[in-house]
Amino acid sequence: MTESRPATPGTTRPGGRTAKVRRAVLDATLDALADTGFHALNMDRIAAGAGVGKTTVYRRWGSPVGLVTDLLHDMAEQSLPASDTGTLTGDLRANAELVRATLVDPRMGAVFRAVIAAAACDEECARALADFYRTRLAEWAPVVTRGAARGEVPAGTDPVELLRAVSAPLYYRFAVTREELDAAVAERAVTAALAAARDGVFAPGGVRE
């Protein structure tokens, strides 16, 4: 007999005991990713760590990929809201520092290394990671729109492209070169991204052959 496919993680917002079970399982998943990475993720150990039955974990999440997918949805929902410092420079600095602080945190840095590794070898994880960043970029996009309205960058500046330009150097050092991520690196990323934005690089017609 073929078992039915588990519900796609993150598509419902359970309450009561179900919510407590989900929270316990996702916390155990985050701990396991931080400690041993994606490739050592074990459903039975997650169930034991969460204090719930193995059947519950297998029925609801189906696989380690299902756990990581739901965890990424949860992380996107639980992340800090965008800043509103009154200036685009201040908001982008807050964004860069939030990214930097997350990546240099021993626990969360290990989690991000694990989910990036998972995304590199599994398409479902890759989609979940892309959804995570899409959600976070959408949360922060209004800071660029407000900045453009104040005349700090050209009208029509693409919020997502500007925000990507801020965080990309941080992720490059984190995931590729494994170099130090100090406050000066974050400040330099903001300065470079803002200079490009003010020059119209992220505005319509800003990049020409």
Side-chain angles (χ1 to χ4, degrees):
M1 183 176 71
T2 302
E3 293 185 351
S4 61
R5 183 180 177 86
T8 301
T11 57
T12 61
R13 296 292 176 269
R17 182 179 181 279
T18 303
K20 292 178 181 177
V21 168
R22 179 177 183 247
R23 178 78 272 141
V25 169
L26 294 184
D27 286 346
T29 301
L30 191 147
D31 288 340
L33 287 173
D35 291 342
T36 59
F38 171 71
H39 294 291
L41 204 59
N42 180 284
M43 301 283 281
D44 291 1
R45 291 175 188 168
I46 294 298
V52 302
K54 292 186 291 185
T55 302
T56 298
V57 176
Y58 280 98
R59 182 177 63 246
R60 175 158 185 183
W61 286 275
S63 69
V65 169
L67 288 169
V68 172
T69 298
D70 198 14
L71 177 64
L72 283 165
H73 287 311
D74 183 69
M75 287 168 58
E77 294 163 1
Q78 300 299 323
S79 293
L80 293 174
S83 296
D84 187 0
T85 65
T87 69
L88 180 57
T89 301
D91 291 342
L92 293 181
R93 281 174 175 158
N95 177 267
E97 180 54 29
L98 177 60
V99 172
R100 189 192 74 83
T102 300
L103 297 181
V104 301
D105 179 83
R107 177 178 165 88
M108 291 310 300
V111 169
F112 271 93
R113 289 195 195 282
V115 297
I116 290 170
C121 61
D122 185 274
E123 185 60 32
E124 187 177 345
C125 283
R127 288 194 298 270
L129 187 59
D131 286 344
F132 169 83
Y133 286 115
R134 192 175 298 113
T135 299
R136 296 307 298 148
L137 288 167
E139 169 71 24
W140 280 85
V143 308
V144 180
T145 304
R146 291 195 299 264
R150 291 190 294 257
E152 296 173 87
V153 289
T157 293
D158 188 320
V160 170
E161 290 304 320
L162 175 49
L163 289 164
R164 282 174 174 162
V166 171
S167 60
L170 307 181
Y171 277 99
Y172 182 83
R173 283 175 173 257
F174 172 76
V176 179
T177 63
R178 302 254 181 149
E179 296 174 82
E180 183 180 3
L181 273 177
D182 58 19
V185 172
E187 180 65 21
R188 188 161 57 246
V190 170
T191 300
L194 268 175
R198 287 167 178 159
D199 203 33
V201 170
F202 307 121
V207 178
R208 297 180 175 85
E209 295 292 338

